[in-house]
Amino acid sequence: TDQICEMTPEQKNVYASVLREVRAQVMGEVEKNGLAKSQLHILAGLTRLRQAACDPRLMGLPKTFGDEDSGKLEALRELIGECVEGGHKVLVFSQFVSMLQLIKAALEKDGVTYEYLDGSTVNRAERVDRFQGDPTCGVFLISLKAGGTGLNLTAADTVVHFDPWWNPAVEEQASARAHRIGQSKVVTVYRLVAQ
């Protein structure tokens, strides 16, 4: 399910500003070097736009922003609250470790028990075992690269892709962490899409 998340007014302003800047940079690069030689600049620009759509704080701007300035983060908090209250276990994937840190801080404010995994996590098995076995641990925050393969997280029945990836196979592989071969459990998958 694609869940459309309305950007906040402040976030829309940041996004529009980044869009103008990226457009000018990319068009200048394409004009100067051609489309084929500008692909890295195009991808870098798209990444910056994805970050702005997630949370203005990812942009490293001098202005101070808070949780309420991210439409996606507010939507995620609401979704997680409903899921945890309903006894569901949730996997939350993001490409951006810095975004996971912001989500982590928001969950702590909300009093939600969670586990966390990114590329720097050394005790992966302990984190997985706690999420799998502890009924009070309702959320597992996972970086897309660290959690895309090799994890068995079948306690989860809900998967959230905070910043949908442009390669659907990567998302599917991450979502598959909640499935076990031969298991008939239904898993709900949400993609948070900024608008």
Side-chain angles (χ1 to χ4, degrees), residues 10-154:
E10 193 67 37
Q11 188 176 16
K12 283 181 183 179
N13 291 338
V14 169
Y15 187 89
S17 174
V18 171
L19 179 60
R20 284 189 299 274
E21 185 181 310
V22 165
R23 182 177 285 145
Q25 288 173 347
V26 167
M27 295 309 270
E29 196 62 36
V30 169
E31 195 174 300
K32 182 175 151 190
N33 297 315
L35 185 60
K37 292 183 180 178
S38 302
Q39 290 179 0
L40 287 178
H41 290 281
I42 294 168
L43 288 175
L46 289 173
T47 298
R48 289 186 61 224
L49 288 167
R50 291 178 72 230
Q51 288 172 320
C54 286
D55 193 301
R57 293 173 288 186
L58 297 183
M59 303 309 299
L61 300 172
K63 183 175 177 172
T64 302
F65 296 97
D67 291 351
E68 68 284 352
D69 292 313
S70 169
K72 273 190 173 187
L73 183 56
E74 291 300 301
L76 177 69
R77 290 170 88 172
E78 186 176 320
L79 179 61
I80 285 176
E82 291 171 6
C83 288
V84 170
E85 194 174 293
H88 299 280
K89 292 189 90 145
V90 184
L91 305 179
V92 178
F93 289 98
S94 177
Q95 173 196 357
F96 306 112
V97 172
S98 52
M99 189 66 232
L100 288 174
Q101 295 296 325
L102 295 173
I103 295 169
K104 192 164 107 169
L107 293 182
E108 288 170 2
K109 287 178 196 169
D110 295 343
V112 175
T113 305
Y114 64 89
E115 265 305 336
Y116 180 88
L117 177 77
D118 67 23
S120 66
T121 304
V122 291
N123 52 353
R124 289 170 61 106
E126 288 175 32
R127 306 285 178 137
V128 169
D129 290 346
R130 177 168 177 247
F131 177 77
Q132 288 288 100
D134 183 349
T136 67
C137 183
V139 180
F140 204 144
L141 304 176
I142 308 169
S143 72
L144 198 55
K145 284 185 180 178
T149 58
L151 294 177
N152 181 8
L153 299 167
T154 55

